[in-house]
Amino acid sequence: MPLNWKTGGLLLGLVFFLAVWLVKPIGVSTQFVILDGILWDAVNPELVTQTADGYTSTNDYLAKSGGKYAKSVADPLNYSFVFVLAMALGGLVSARLRGGIARADRSVHALWRANFGDSPAKRYAAAFLGGFIVLYGARLAGGCTSGHMMSGMMQTALSGYIFAAGAFAAAIPVSLLLFKKEA
């Protein structure tokens, strides 16, 4: 059930338009911080406390912005957190509707196997390291690709276009260097 790129692009544009129009621009990297806070708060219930003015935290990062992040940790069923959960669920539903993922590609997909071998441990380590670097960079930049590039460009923010240019200027040469063999 492959989706034509034009149809997919129009659908993605419609979803982004509706999100901004009805709620707010899309961005997801902060929700990883919120998930960390939820897990940390489960171990240490004193992490987030409610005050007369709202919420605060013993962690400076969660307490910043008037306790906005601390509030999200205390009450995670908000638009942004549910949106991130829905993205994962949407990926699962999409894979199921397309007939699933081939058994051979479940831990090491064909392109990776052609370039780096069939070790799942090596693939998982690379995925973890890549994800860590991207998330670290996103938090350092104050947002992720969906916030800076996709939502930013949709709102014609110059920073969104600059971020997109930088992301592609880095991603294309790295991909060409890493994935020389085709599957």
Side-chain angles (χ1 to χ4, degrees):
M1 185 178 109
L3 186 63
N4 177 292
W5 69 269
K6 293 175 190 172
T7 305
L10 287 172
L11 288 172
L12 183 63
L14 178 64
V15 167
F16 269 86
F17 176 77
L18 288 173
V20 170
W21 185 45
L22 296 172
V23 186
K24 65 179 188 172
I26 291 174
V28 298
S29 63
T30 300
Q31 299 315 307
F32 289 98
V33 174
I34 301 305
L35 178 61
D36 290 345
I38 292 167
L39 297 174
W40 187 2
D41 192 51
V43 174
N44 177 12
E46 296 170 6
L47 176 69
V48 174
T49 54
Q50 189 168 6
T51 66
D53 299 329
Y55 288 87
T56 191
S57 174
T58 54
N59 177 279
D60 289 339
Y61 190 84
L62 295 176
K64 75 179 192 174
S65 300
K68 182 174 107 176
Y69 295 159
K71 181 178 188 284
S72 293
V73 168
D75 182 23
L77 289 179
N78 57 60
Y79 167 78
S80 297
F81 196 70
V82 171
F83 178 79
V84 171
L85 295 176
M87 284 183 356
L89 180 62
L92 176 65
V93 168
S94 175
R96 294 285 186 217
L97 289 174
R98 292 177 45 203
I101 299 171
R103 185 165 190 79
D105 290 340
R106 287 187 188 161
S107 60
V108 180
H109 61 80
L111 183 60
W112 178 273
R113 197 170 26 256
N115 285 275
F116 303 105
D118 61 356
S119 168
K122 189 176 185 181
R123 172 70 177 132
Y124 294 146
F128 179 82
L129 179 63
F132 179 83
I133 291 169
V134 167
L135 188 56
Y136 181 79
R139 297 315 313 146
L140 194 62
C144 58
T145 53
S146 56
H148 280 304
M149 184 166 43
M150 297 169 83
S151 290
M153 288 174 66
M154 184 182 68
Q155 297 173 79
T156 65
L158 179 60
S159 62
Y161 290 98
I162 292 170
F163 181 85
F168 281 102
I172 292 171
V174 168
S175 295
L176 291 172
L177 285 171
L178 287 177
F179 297 101
K180 293 179 181 175
K181 299 175 189 171
E182 293 185 28

